Amino acid sequence: MEDPSSRTAHDGPPGQVARGGSKSGGPAAHGGPPGQAARGGSNSGGPAAHGGPPGQAARGGSDSETDVTREIKTHFRVCRFIMESGVKLGMRSVPVATACELYHRFFECVSLRVYEPYLVAMSCVYLAGKVEEQHLRTRDIINVSHRYFHNASAPLECDREFWELRDSVVQCELLILRQLDFHVSFRHPHKYLLHYLMSVKALVNRHAWTRTPVAETAWALLRDCYHGVMCIHHAPQHIAIATLYLALNSYGVEMPVGEREWWQVLCEDVTKEDINAVISDLLQLYDMEAKCV
Amino acid sequence: MDRDLLRQCLTHHGESLFNTLQCEQTENPDFQAVASDLAKATYERRGAGEGCSLVEQFIARKADILFCPTWRTAVPREDELEDEEATEPYAIMPPAELFMEVPFEERRAMLYRDLERGDAVVGRINNIREYGFFLTLLCAAGGLRRDIEDLELSALCHIKEIPSTGSHDDPLSYYQIGDLIRGGVKDLDRYQEKITVSLLPASLCPRLAHIKLGVVAREELPKHYSRGLRVANDTRETYERILRGCHGYHNPSVVEYLLGRAGVSDDRPPSLMRGLQSKHFHEEDFATVIRKKQSASWALKCVRSGVDHFKHGRHVEAMNEYNKALEIDTNNVEALVARGALYANKGGMMKAISDFELGLETCPDHRNAKKYLCQTLVERGKQLQEQEKFVTAEGLYRRALSLDDSYPEAQAALRRITDTIQKSIRLREEATAKETEKAKSGKTSAQKLRKILKDEKRMKKKRKRSSSSSSSSSSSSERPSLSPTSTTSSRRRSKKRRRKRGGSERGSQRRRRRSSKRSEEEEEEEEYPAPPNTSASFLYRQGFLGSGAGRGEGGEEGGEEEEEVVVDDRRISQLYSLSAASEDEGSEPRGGDGEGRRGRSFSSHGKGGRRRSRRGSSSESSAAREQGKARRRSGEGRRRSRGRSREEGRSSEEGRGRSREEGRRRSRGRSSEEGRSRGRSREEGRRRSRGRSSEEGRSSEEGRSSEEGRGRSREEGRRRSRGRSREEGRSSEEGRGRSREEGRSRGRSREDGRRRSTDEGRRRRKASPSSVESQRSRKSTVAAERPPACRRSSSGSLGQPAPPPAAPPPAAPRRTSLDGGRSQSRPGRGAELRGGEGPRAPPPSTSTSSSNGQGGVARPPQPAGGGAGKKGLPANLMDIFNKIAKFEKEKGAGPRK
């Protein structure tokens, strides 16, 4: 991971795009004190473009929290923003997952203080649409985002502000691409999970299966995973198995027991510890929701 | 909350979960409702693990979502698609228990638990008995994917369950030990562990109905089985390796496919996050909705600037803006309305209407759209009305009223047009009725006539092509066609007409239109002192006049009995003239065409030459006329052969031209008169006819036996009468003294005289009674006297519905002139053509004197008495005509001399 500041300095234009491109963050973006200034700048100073949801503004003052938790919370919120936008944009689950993963991977190597996360998120959504063959229009993305930040406001006029925002999104997309070295296609757990579901379903009595909403629950858990960075810290198979495991466990579905557990069969290298790790990460995210929103 | 599900969960997790649940869901009334129920059972903890407390807490916290009945949205698609095996849209994996190495007993128990009637299984025949054969089951082929090969399951397939092949052989003879058989599970005894299978398709459950039962090849075995075999044979094979090796795994849309199979929605994806519950998503936050809104406002902006352009007269820019707006937002009401308004402003009524209608489609309550559409519809309706497309126009008015039933303009217009239409319909009905009446009349020379007519038409067309149209006459000149109806002739011709249908139909239609227009004008006229009784439409009037002329002539002088021969002759001659006329009419086009035609007659004189010709060339023309007359008169003294004689007279081109001029002159002269007389007759006729509508109707029917016929006959009649009257007039000039016909003829002669000395005529006209008609006629004459160009305009303005009262009179002169010209020229041509066929030519009836001719003309009605319907009419008509004549005389006498 590169030093974000050097990277920014080196890159010049993209760095500007990230913060200054939106023309909202103002000077606070680059030079300000770590964390606070950046956030504060974008929140209070940012006009329409990406002022951030209300919750974010309060964060500047909470000194008690560590940087890490604050960042995690920010990411959670931004991911929530991506998810909500995804639903409003009619994105499928996989592109949304890609967008989140793009976002997490981007901020894995770049400081949150340097780039405006919501702008990055918008660009991630845009880029994910391209990567996953579900093209989205920047106009829609901007519209949905604008409405997300300015609740129930009228849609943006097609004026300068709109076009500047659009330019920011597009340039930020380039920035992300460069930052990730164009490694933008990921293996997601979705495919695994669905195949596992098919196999597990065959093990269970069909009537018991239809009675139990395992598929929905597992799918929901998988989608919710992307609120955090677990999607890049765990193998996709593990995540798939963990979500399926949790789903089955939640409903107390009894699985046949042989020499090996069903999850052992589905993925050779997964251990109970892996599953538990994923599950605990996931459950933390649910706890996080209560704290963040 | 789903109690069963919750119980299942509690059974799995034990007491601790229940306690956590009670803590976490205290405020959930749903849980409280089931809690007591659940509390009774005792739960022993089975699934122990490290993360359990966390998981239990999670379950407890999310219980309201997890166990909510609405959470289970998935509707798994159970039916396996037919081609799923072949195309493998997802990785078809071998049964997981194969890898799990589940103990034999458990697997067997699971199978008997889960196998169901209707599933498909594959087995190998191991024993054949006379009552059937036994299978060792290899795998499940549908419904259940289990590894059953080593479970030593035996299934019986009874002989009854084997479909017979049609021959009477033992069905079992087709099967051998070792054959692979696919069958449906027919019955299952879980306690005795007995399975019976069937080869009848009905044994399968409906969703598997596509599976073919019977002997299968090894390659046809299900994929999960063959892959399972690979696993069994190679211990290194793992689930994941097989998965990756599967074609379906790499299907780019495998996620969507499997989601669909699992029944999970990706549009409204499930989430256990509180903030992502679908109830938190509002429709108006979705991209499509926002986009629509944004587009609308953007488009509105464009419309606004477009309106601005429009206000400053920059119509092109405005249009561009509107189009841009519509590009942004295809159905933007404001843009559509604005563009429609612009179109309407530019005269593109249809485009405007379609824009308004589009706008109203998306926004049915848009006030401006409605208003503008109403206005435009009425406007367009008026246009159509001018083009005599009444039905369409009426439709537009109605539509306008349906949008705004209090729109006065539309109401008025509709009222007017319905009257018009009703009238024309009535006329048509009458005409058809009459035609049926007349159906019987025979005519001999029909064929020849037709031929002649055709030729004539051709010639006319040629002429027309070459001549420039003097526009003035069109609307008005159409009119004459209807006027005098010669009943006889029409009757005569009915058969012929029928044969001729094709050709004449066009004309008839046109005439219909014309007639309706006429009546419409009539309506408008009614605002004038003219008798309020509308039913006597112009048509009637004209019919009256015409028939009156014809009949009256006959009727009055009815005393002078003429032999049938004469009548026939006359009829024939009429026929000729008629057919000529009708052709003329037929080819008389809507609008320009007609003008052209008519114009043709004038063309020789050129614009402005008219008057000149009338006046200046009066001598010449009169000479010609004289000539023609002379010829006519001398010409065997055919009464009605006038037309013929005319033709003859005009046989030479000059003669024609002259005659045309003459005709025009005459017509012009007459026009005033006619106008007057018509007006009068109209009034009277109307009054009378109103009273006697039935008779009148009949008469009109007669006149209009067929529409074409009507027009033709009327024209003919008119022409005839005119011609006759002309002749008469001429003759009568010499010695006129016949009743009212004379009056008319006198009038005509007067005209003639006037023609010769227009001033006099004018004077006369001016002097003529100040009745509206006379005024009108004066106007018309004035118009007629103006050089064509201005005349045109005047006539145009007059002729248009706008100044309704003026309309009819101007028409008259022109018409007459045309008529005259036409009737003269055409019959002439006809005669020429006919020349060869000569003998047929209506043998110039011997009734030499013009007066005779009149008598002859007059007669038809009486002889026509043969036609039942006619009988009644003539009397009435004669009455009317008498009155008219008297009236005319009275009025005419003064001014005239």
Side-chain angles (χ1 to χ4, degrees):
Chain A
M1 183 156 91
E2 282 177 70
D3 176 9
S5 58
S6 76
R7 172 112 199 172
T8 321
H10 174 250
D11 277 350
Q16 275 182 351
V17 167
R19 274 271 130 169
S22 68
K23 272 130 190 146
S24 62
H30 286 275
Q36 270 200 0
R39 294 261 53 87
S42 81
N43 286 323
S44 53
H50 36 337
Q56 206 168 328
R59 243 170 349 95
S62 55
D63 291 317
S64 59
E65 291 179 44
T66 62
D67 267 6
V68 178
T69 48
R70 197 182 305 140
E71 277 191 14
I72 289 173
K73 284 186 177 179
T74 304
H75 291 321
F76 184 92
R77 286 196 195 93
V78 177
C79 288
R80 168 60 58 80
F81 160 71
I82 292 176
M83 301 251 183
E84 282 191 32
S85 303
V87 173
K88 291 169 186 169
L89 288 164
M91 287 168 91
R92 298 189 301 264
S93 294
V94 175
V96 170
T98 304
C100 290
E101 191 157 351
L102 279 171
Y103 172 85
H104 288 305
R105 284 189 190 276
F106 179 80
F107 278 109
E108 205 178 24
C109 37
V110 155
S111 168
L112 193 58
R113 294 187 297 266
V114 180
Y115 297 105
E116 164 59 43
Y118 285 95
L119 178 63
V120 174
M122 287 163 76
S123 296
C124 285
V125 168
Y126 185 48
L127 182 56
K130 290 182 181 178
V131 170
E132 300 296 340
E133 303 282 343
Q134 192 189 11
H135 289 266
L136 301 162
R137 298 160 87 168
T138 38
R139 186 176 153 196
D140 284 335
I141 294 169
I142 290 168
N143 283 339
V144 167
S145 311
H146 182 259
R147 199 171 167 87
Y148 181 85
F149 297 126
H150 304 84
N151 203 17
S153 67
L156 273 174
E157 295 284 313
C158 291
D159 55 7
R160 224 182 92 255
E161 192 188 349
F162 176 88
W163 293 110
E164 281 175 1
L165 206 47
R166 192 183 178 281
D167 286 347
S168 310
V169 171
V170 174
Q171 292 201 44
C172 186
E173 181 201 358
L174 289 176
L175 174 72
I176 294 166
L177 279 171
R178 280 208 219 171
Q179 185 68 54
L180 299 180
D181 281 334
F182 296 92
H183 294 308
V184 289
S185 76
F186 311 109
R187 275 199 302 146
H188 288 298
H190 300 74
K191 206 152 58 164
Y192 295 104
L193 176 61
L194 288 167
H195 280 104
Y196 296 164
L197 270 170
M198 292 295 289
S199 286
V200 167
K201 179 186 161 193
L203 291 173
V204 179
N205 181 285
R206 62 192 106 184
H207 300 295
W209 185 262
T210 46
R211 217 174 48 227
T212 318
V214 175
E216 295 91 324
T217 308
W219 195 252
L221 291 170
L222 180 58
R223 282 180 61 96
D224 292 341
C225 279
Y226 283 88
H227 280 90
V229 287
M230 52 186 290
C231 59
I232 54 177
H233 293 153
H234 296 283
Q237 291 96 323
H238 295 185
I239 295 175
I241 283 181
T243 52
L244 182 54
Y245 183 92
L246 184 54
L248 290 169
N249 206 1
S250 299
Y251 293 105
V253 178
E254 301 290 341
M255 297 296 287
V257 185
E259 297 284 299
R260 300 150 84 191
E261 290 282 347
W262 61 267
W263 40 269
Q264 281 175 308
V265 163
L266 299 181
C267 180
E268 287 293 302
D269 59 353
V270 77
T271 61
K272 188 75 187 168
E273 286 67 43
D274 290 332
I275 295 176
N276 285 336
V278 174
I279 288 176
S280 76
D281 278 359
L282 180 55
L283 296 185
Q284 269 180 22
L285 287 176
Y286 287 109
D287 290 338
M288 186 86 76
E289 190 194 15
K291 292 180 204 157
C292 289
V293 181
Chain B
M1 277 183 136
D2 191 326
R3 191 175 306 173
D4 294 336
L5 216 52
L6 202 51
R7 186 173 289 135
Q8 182 185 324
C9 179
L10 284 172
T11 316
H12 184 79
H13 288 279
E15 195 69 38
S16 61
L17 175 62
F18 186 69
N19 296 332
T20 330
L21 266 174
Q22 278 190 317
C23 291
E24 296 287 343
Q25 299 289 332
T26 39
E27 285 165 24
N28 184 352
D30 282 343
F31 177 74
Q32 296 309 326
V34 295
S36 54
D37 237 14
L38 296 167
K40 285 173 199 157
T42 53
Y43 308 102
E44 67 210 53
R45 188 176 186 119
R46 263 194 274 166
E50 309 88 69
C52 255
S53 60
L54 267 179
V55 171
E56 276 172 21
Q57 196 184 26
F58 162 76
I59 295 168
R61 282 189 183 159
K62 303 289 180 186
D64 54 327
I65 300 174
L66 286 171
F67 300 102
C68 176
T70 57
W71 176 247
R72 196 176 60 217
T73 53
V75 196
R77 214 176 60 216
E78 283 298 332
D79 54 317
E80 288 164 41
L81 296 179
E82 218 166 319
D83 55 348
E84 207 168 70
E85 278 280 311
T87 56
E88 206 192 350
Y90 66 102
I92 296 172
M93 296 302 292
E97 70 262 29
L98 197 66
F99 304 96
M100 287 163 69
E101 295 167 34
V102 179
F104 175 88
E105 283 306 324
E106 189 174 350
R107 272 190 294 148
R108 202 174 151 100
M110 273 168 61
L111 182 88
Y112 278 114
R113 184 191 72 193
D114 298 334
L115 192 67
E116 284 181 11
R117 197 181 295 177
D119 284 348
V121 291
V122 175
R124 183 181 283 116
I125 297 176
N126 60 17
N127 196 357
I128 301 182
R129 298 289 180 84
E130 61 275 14
Y131 55 85
F133 53 73
F134 287 94
L135 295 172
T136 309
L137 295 187
L138 288 178
C139 64
L144 192 66
R145 258 177 216 169
R146 291 280 169 84
D147 170 36
I148 57 175
E149 193 177 8
D150 58 343
L151 291 184
E152 295 164 11
L153 297 170
S154 186
L156 167 68
C157 183
H158 198 271
I159 192 165
K160 283 187 295 188
E161 302 298 334
I162 301 170
S164 75
T165 50
S167 57
H168 300 291
D169 303 340
D170 179 11
L172 286 173
S173 64
Y174 289 94
Y175 300 94
Q176 292 178 339
I177 289 176
D179 276 352
L180 291 176
I181 299 290
R182 185 157 50 201
V185 176
K186 186 174 176 282
D187 219 343
L188 185 67
D189 189 336
R190 291 198 168 97
Y191 299 102
Q192 311 275 324
E193 298 196 339
K194 276 182 185 169
I195 301 169
T196 43
V197 298
S198 162
L199 299 188
L200 297 173
S203 61
L204 288 174
C205 69
R207 65 193 167 83
L208 298 176
H210 61 273
I211 293 176
K212 220 182 100 219
L213 301 183
V215 181
V216 292
R218 185 150 270 282
E219 301 76 48
E220 290 179 80
L221 291 174
K223 268 197 175 121
H224 67 87
Y225 173 71
S226 49
R227 281 183 185 149
L229 281 183
R230 220 161 71 204
V231 175
N233 297 335
D234 186 353
T235 48
R236 289 170 308 166
E237 285 283 9
T238 63
Y239 185 93
E240 189 154 11
R241 276 180 68 181
I242 292 175
L243 183 67
R244 284 171 189 253
C246 278
H247 179 65
Y249 173 79
H250 301 285
N251 176 7
S253 55
V254 65
V255 172
E256 284 81 65
Y257 181 83
L258 284 177
L259 264 185
R261 268 207 74 162
V264 178
S265 157
D266 219 7
D267 298 327
R268 289 299 181 102
S271 174
L272 288 168
M273 294 279 181
R274 302 269 169 207
L276 286 176
Q277 297 303 302
S278 57
K279 65 184 175 200
H280 293 308
F281 290 99
H282 304 293
E283 202 54 55
E284 61 267 26
D285 290 339
F286 278 69
T288 47
V289 180
I290 302 176
R291 165 179 285 269
K292 207 177 273 176
K293 243 193 202 168
Q294 192 180 40
S295 293
S297 76
W298 195 359
L300 217 59
K301 222 162 126 189
C302 290
V303 173
R304 240 175 265 132
S305 79
V307 168
D308 208 49
H309 282 307
F310 180 72
K311 276 178 186 161
H312 290 89
R314 298 186 294 265
H315 288 185
V316 178
E317 286 87 345
M319 183 59 80
N320 285 341
E321 288 291 337
Y322 297 153
N323 284 334
K324 189 176 152 201
L326 287 170
E327 230 167 76
I328 294 164
D329 185 12
T330 326
N331 283 326
N332 190 286
V333 186
E334 298 300 333
L336 282 170
V337 171
R339 195 173 72 170
L342 183 53
Y343 275 136
N345 251 297
K346 291 281 189 184
M349 296 299 176
M350 290 318 290
K351 280 180 172 176
I353 287 172
S354 77
D355 271 357
F356 291 141
E357 280 178 343
L358 256 178
L360 278 179
E361 232 169 68
T362 38
C363 180
D365 294 325
H366 197 277
R367 266 184 59 237
N368 269 356
K370 230 180 214 177
K371 199 174 101 193
Y372 293 165
L373 179 54
C374 274
Q375 288 172 357
T376 314
L377 281 170
V378 171
E379 208 55 43
R380 176 65 186 159
K382 280 177 183 163
Q383 279 184 4
L384 285 173
Q385 210 170 328
E386 270 163 41
Q387 293 165 26
E388 308 191 351
K389 291 168 184 163
F390 294 104
V391 180
T392 328
E394 189 201 8
L396 292 183
Y397 294 146
R398 285 200 190 286
R399 170 125 177 69
L401 280 178
S402 75
L403 289 167
D404 176 10
D405 51 3
S406 61
Y407 188 48
E409 223 174 300
Q411 281 173 338
L414 181 62
R415 226 179 296 123
R416 245 177 290 143
I417 203 161
T418 32
D419 283 354
T420 311
I421 288 172
Q422 275 169 1
K423 247 171 248 165
S424 66
I425 287 172
R426 205 168 45 220
L427 292 179
R428 208 179 306 155
E429 278 167 4
E430 285 161 2
T432 38
K434 194 178 181 188
E435 191 176 16
T436 49
E437 252 171 52
K438 282 185 197 159
K440 282 165 219 152
S441 71
K443 80 325 314 96
T444 36
S445 49
Q447 300 276 2
K448 268 172 204 167
L449 282 175
R450 223 178 300 144
K451 201 174 174 189
I452 290 160
L453 290 173
K454 260 184 215 158
D455 288 342
E456 223 176 16
K457 213 193 242 172
R458 233 175 282 138
M459 282 177 68
K460 248 172 251 156
K461 265 178 199 158
K462 264 183 231 156
R463 243 189 295 150
K464 184 173 116 199
R465 246 171 264 139
S466 59
S467 68
S468 69
S469 67
S470 94
S471 46
S472 62
S473 48
S474 71
S475 64
S476 54
S477 54
E478 277 165 357
R479 231 168 270 151
S481 61
L482 282 188
S483 58
T485 321
S486 105
T487 38
T488 27
S489 68
S490 56
R491 207 183 277 166
R492 257 293 151 98
R493 270 155 78 259
S494 61
K495 262 187 205 163
K496 195 215 307 183
R497 216 175 297 129
R498 234 181 273 135
R499 257 182 256 150
K500 272 200 293 188
R501 262 287 152 68
S504 54
E505 228 138 77
R506 245 186 292 141
S508 71
Q509 282 170 8
R510 234 161 277 141
R511 200 158 307 124
R512 226 176 293 143
R513 245 177 270 141
R514 238 173 273 138
S515 70
S516 49
K517 183 182 188 176
R518 221 165 290 132
S519 51
E520 171 198 351
E521 280 163 7
E522 241 267 302
E523 265 175 32
E524 278 153 9
E525 260 178 279
E526 270 160 25
E527 294 156 25
Y528 276 72
N533 199 349
T534 20
S535 67
S537 69
F538 208 148
L539 284 176
Y540 289 99
R541 233 186 298 143
Q542 281 176 336
F544 258 92
L545 252 195
S547 57
R551 235 169 269 144
E553 281 164 49
E556 270 186 14
E557 293 116 40
E560 324 157 16
E561 290 286 352
E562 277 212 313
E563 306 86 293
E564 279 292 320
V565 193
V566 175
V567 172
D568 278 351
D569 283 354
R570 205 207 47 177
R571 268 186 217 149
I572 289 163
S573 68
Q574 279 173 350
L575 278 180
Y576 286 117
S577 63
L578 263 191
S579 56
S582 68
E583 257 190 26
D584 206 3
E585 288 273 289
S587 47
E588 246 164 43
R590 329 91 192 212
D593 213 354
E595 280 174 38
R597 263 283 160 98
R598 255 156 249 138
R600 204 198 319 132
S601 61
F602 301 134
S603 63
S604 56
H605 315 288
K607 280 192 198 173
R610 259 210 193 175
R611 214 206 257 159
R612 203 205 321 136
S613 70
R614 201 208 297 140
R615 290 186 200 163
S617 68
S618 65
S619 64
E620 173 206 325
S621 60
S622 64
R625 216 181 311 130
E626 290 307 316
Q627 207 185 309
K629 251 181 264 157
R631 240 178 265 149
R632 248 169 268 138
R633 250 171 257 140
S634 67
E636 318 87 35
R638 294 171 223 140
R639 268 181 271 130
R640 274 137 244 145
S641 61
R642 206 185 331 116
R644 243 170 284 136
S645 65
R646 240 177 278 141
E647 292 150 20
E648 285 162 41
R650 235 164 295 118
S651 60
S652 66
E653 276 292 331
E654 356 130 2
R656 218 180 293 145
R658 244 175 274 142
S659 63
R660 240 176 277 141
E661 287 170 26
E662 202 190 326
R664 210 177 314 131
R665 242 167 278 134
R666 223 179 293 142
S667 65
R668 240 172 271 137
R670 208 189 312 139
S671 67
S672 66
E673 228 189 53
E674 242 185 345
R676 232 173 292 140
S677 63
R678 211 181 297 140
R680 247 169 274 142
S681 66
R682 194 198 318 145
E683 289 164 23
E684 292 167 352
R686 223 186 277 146
R687 250 170 260 136
R688 224 168 290 147
S689 64
R690 277 300 134 225
R692 251 177 283 137
S693 63
S694 67
E695 288 150 30
E696 200 200 321
R698 230 174 296 140
S699 69
S700 62
E701 273 163 36
E702 281 168 50
R704 243 165 285 125
S705 63
S706 68
E707 292 157 3
E708 346 126 22
R710 206 194 313 149
R712 244 178 268 145
S713 63
R714 226 174 286 140
E715 250 175 51
E716 191 200 340
R718 212 181 306 138
R719 230 172 285 132
R720 206 192 312 138
S721 64
R722 237 174 276 142
R724 236 178 280 139
S725 62
R726 238 177 281 142
E727 275 180 20
E728 284 164 43
R730 263 165 248 139
S731 62
S732 65
E733 271 164 9
E734 303 145 22
R736 152 217 344 147
R738 243 163 283 129
S739 59
R740 80 167 142 80
E741 243 312 312
E742 279 167 332
R744 204 178 295 148
S745 63
R746 232 178 288 139
R748 251 163 254 140
S749 64
R750 192 208 314 157
E751 285 144 27
D752 282 4
R754 203 208 304 144
R755 251 165 264 132
R756 278 167 220 135
S757 58
T758 12
D759 291 350
E760 190 206 331
R762 232 176 287 139
R763 241 178 289 132
R764 211 192 305 146
R765 245 167 272 137
K766 272 168 204 155
S768 71
S770 62
S771 72
V772 184
E773 287 92 20
S774 69
Q775 280 172 358
R776 253 179 257 146
S777 66
R778 223 177 292 144
K779 261 185 239 157
S780 69
T781 47
V782 171
E785 276 156 18
R786 257 177 266 156
C790 44
R791 243 243 239 125
R792 203 263 139 67
S793 64
S794 70
S795 71
S797 64
L798 290 171
Q800 271 155 10
R814 247 169 276 141
R815 188 202 314 148
T816 38
S817 71
L818 290 174
D819 251 7
R822 215 187 298 142
S823 60
Q824 279 171 352
S825 65
R826 239 160 261 147
R829 242 171 289 134
E832 285 163 24
L833 293 168
R834 222 189 309 143
E837 307 148 24
R840 266 303 165 79
S845 63
T846 35
S847 64
T848 30
S849 73
S850 60
S851 63
N852 264 354
Q854 282 176 343
V857 172
R859 196 127 333 121
Q862 288 155 347
K870 277 179 200 165
K871 266 189 177 171
L873 283 174
N876 301 331
L877 288 174
M878 277 192 319
D879 258 353
I880 294 160
F881 278 110
N882 286 338
K883 281 193 184 167
I884 291 169
K886 261 180 233 160
F887 191 46
E888 235 174 272
K889 257 188 230 161
E890 284 165 25
K891 277 197 178 171
R896 216 185 289 143
K897 257 130 207 195

